[in-house]
C-alpha cells in the first residue's frame, strides 16, 4: 500500500508541477505578444547594457514571478502540502530535496512533449526532403522508416531525459532551489514556497541546454536508423528477384 501511495503522490506532484509550468508558459506567451511589455523589456535591457543598472530587469522578473504565484496559488499550496511530509508547515532540507526531485521529474514531462514534437517534425522534414531530392531510400520504404523513427523517438526521449537530468540531482541544485524560496532558519515556509517556486524551478532546470542535449541524442539515434534503412534498401536493389533466378 505504501508503494501504491508513493506512486500516487509522485504522479500527483508531477501533474501539479506540469500544470504550473504550462500556466507559466501561457502567461509568458501573453507577455511576449504585449507590445507595452516588450517595449519595457527592451528599455530595461538597454539600461542594463549602457549604465549597468539592472533594477528595471529585476523589477520585471519580480512581476513575472508574482504573476505566476497569483495565477497558480491554489495549485502551489497543494504542492507544498504534498512535500511537507511531517505536516509542520515548513519544508526542511530533506523535504526540499524531495521537492527538487519532483520538480525535475515534472519539468521533464513538459520538455519531453516539446522534444518529441520537435523531433517528429524533423522526421517529417527528412521524409519530405527524401521524396523531393531523389531519395536514397525508395519511397515505398519512407513511410515505414518514418513510422519506425517516431516510435524510436517516443521510446528514447524519456530515457535520454532521465540520463541528462540525473546530473541535476545534487546538493548544489538543492541549495540553489532553496535560495529562491526565502529560506529562514533552514526552513521554507508555505508563503516563501508559493512566491518563489517559479523562480526556484527556473533556476535549477536549464531548459535550452537540456533540450539541446536530448535532441543531440535523438539525432544520433535517427542517423543510425537511416543508415540501416539505406543499407537494407541497397540490399533489396542488388538482390536478384526469385523469378529471374528460376528462369535460368
Amino acid at each position: 500500500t505504501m508503494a501504491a501511495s508513493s506512486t500516487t503522490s509522485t504522479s500527483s506532484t508531477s501533474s501539479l508541477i506540469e500544470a504550473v509550468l504550462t500556466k507559466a508558459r501561457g502567461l509568458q506567451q501573453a507577455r511576449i505578444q504585449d507590445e507595452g511589455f516588450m517595449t519595457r523589456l527592451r528599455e530595461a535591457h538597454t539600461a542594463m547594457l549602457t549604465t549597468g543598472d539592472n533594477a528595471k530587469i529585476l523589477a520585471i522578473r519580480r512581476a513575472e514571478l508574482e504573476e505566476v504565484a497569483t495565477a497558480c496559488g491554489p495549485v502551489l499550496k497543494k504542492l507544498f502540502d504534498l512535500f511537507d511530509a511531517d505536516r509542520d508547515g515548513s519544508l526542511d532540507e530533506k523535504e526540499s530535496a524531495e521537492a527538487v526531485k519532483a520538480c525535475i521529474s515534472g519539468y521533464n514531462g513538459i520538455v519531453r512533449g516539446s522534444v518529441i514534437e520537435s523531433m517528429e517534425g524533423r522526421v517529417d522534414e527528412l521524409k519530405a526532403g527524401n521524396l523531393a531530392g531523389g531519395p536514397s531510400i525508395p519511397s515505398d520504404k519512407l513511410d515505414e522508416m518514418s513510422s519506425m523513427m517516431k516510435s524510436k523517438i517516443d521510446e528514447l526521449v524519456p530515457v535520454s531525459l532521465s540520463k541528462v537530468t540525473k546530473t541535476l540531482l545534487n546538493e548544489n541544485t538543492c541549495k540553489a532551489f532553496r535560495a529562491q524560496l526565502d529560506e529562514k532558519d533552514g526552513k521554507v515556509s508555505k508563503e516563501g514556497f508559493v512566491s518563489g517556486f517559479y523562480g526556484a524551478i527556473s533556476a535549477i532546470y536549464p531548459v535550452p541546454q537540456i533540450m539541446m542535449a536530448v535532441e543531440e541524442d535523438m539525432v544520433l539515434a535517427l542517423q543510425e536508423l537511416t543508415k540501416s534503412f539505406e543499407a537494407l534498401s541497397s540490399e533489396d536493389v542488388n538482390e536478384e528477384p526469385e523469378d529471374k533466378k528460376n528462369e535460368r
Side-chain angles (χ1 to χ4, degrees):
T1 311
M2 275 186 71
S5 150
S6 165
T7 309
T8 306
S9 174
T10 305
S11 64
S12 299
T13 52
S14 287
S15 61
L16 289 174
I17 289 162
E18 286 186 38
V20 172
L21 292 170
T22 302
K23 181 69 177 174
R25 190 193 279 180
L27 292 169
Q28 186 181 42
Q29 289 301 320
R31 281 194 297 273
I32 289 167
Q33 286 160 12
D34 176 353
E35 284 182 28
F37 172 81
M38 293 309 289
T39 302
R40 290 194 301 278
L41 187 62
R42 281 191 291 273
E43 286 169 357
H45 270 293
T46 304
M48 188 173 69
L49 293 170
T50 53
T51 66
D53 178 11
N54 64 354
K56 285 183 177 176
I57 282 283
L58 291 175
I60 286 171
R61 183 64 177 149
R62 269 197 305 276
E64 287 174 0
L65 297 182
E66 283 168 16
E67 191 180 20
V68 174
T70 303
C72 303
V75 178
L76 288 168
K77 284 173 185 170
K78 263 190 214 172
L79 257 183
F80 179 90
D81 291 340
L82 284 169
F83 294 138
D84 182 17
D86 59 9
R87 300 285 180 267
D88 69 344
S90 63
L91 303 184
D92 59 24
E93 284 188 22
K94 189 180 175 189
E95 289 164 337
S96 294
E98 285 302 312
V100 165
K101 206 185 294 182
C103 285
I104 290 169
S105 172
Y107 223 137
N108 281 356
I110 293 283
V111 170
R112 180 172 64 241
S114 296
V115 174
I116 287 173
E117 192 179 321
S118 162
M119 292 309 299
E120 288 189 345
R122 285 198 201 186
V123 170
D124 291 336
E125 283 168 21
L126 175 74
K127 184 180 166 187
N130 246 314
L131 285 166
S136 51
I137 297 166
S139 55
D140 62 330
K141 292 275 184 191
L142 281 172
D143 283 337
E144 187 188 346
M145 186 188 78
S146 167
S147 173
M148 275 188 73
M149 281 182 164
K150 288 180 179 182
S151 295
K152 201 77 174 162
I153 289 165
D154 288 346
E155 176 196 331
L156 292 183
V157 166
V159 176
S160 176
L161 257 176
S162 296
K163 180 192 77 178
V164 170
T165 55
K166 204 171 272 183
T167 57
L168 299 177
L169 295 170
N170 59 53
E171 201 176 313
N172 289 338
T173 302
C174 291
K175 281 180 183 168
F177 184 76
R178 291 167 69 79
Q180 301 284 328
L181 297 176
D182 196 24
E183 178 187 9
K184 289 188 180 73
D185 304 321
K187 300 271 187 177
V188 173
S189 69
K190 185 179 274 195
E191 293 73 21
F193 181 85
V194 170
S195 62
F197 177 81
Y198 187 58
I201 198 169
S202 303
I204 65 168
Y205 197 103
V207 177
Q209 292 94 312
I210 287 168
M211 283 190 74
M212 198 181 299
V214 175
E215 285 187 2
E216 279 172 9
D217 275 358
M218 293 305 101
V219 167
L220 289 172
L222 296 187
Q223 281 172 349
E224 288 303 309
L225 202 56
T226 306
K227 277 182 201 165
S228 64
F229 254 89
E230 284 178 333
L232 281 171
S233 299
S234 68
E235 277 174 27
D236 288 349
V237 169
N238 295 330
E239 201 173 278
E240 193 177 12
E242 276 301 315
D243 56 348
K244 290 279 183 195
K245 285 182 189 173
N246 296 337
E247 278 173 23
R248 280 198 256 139

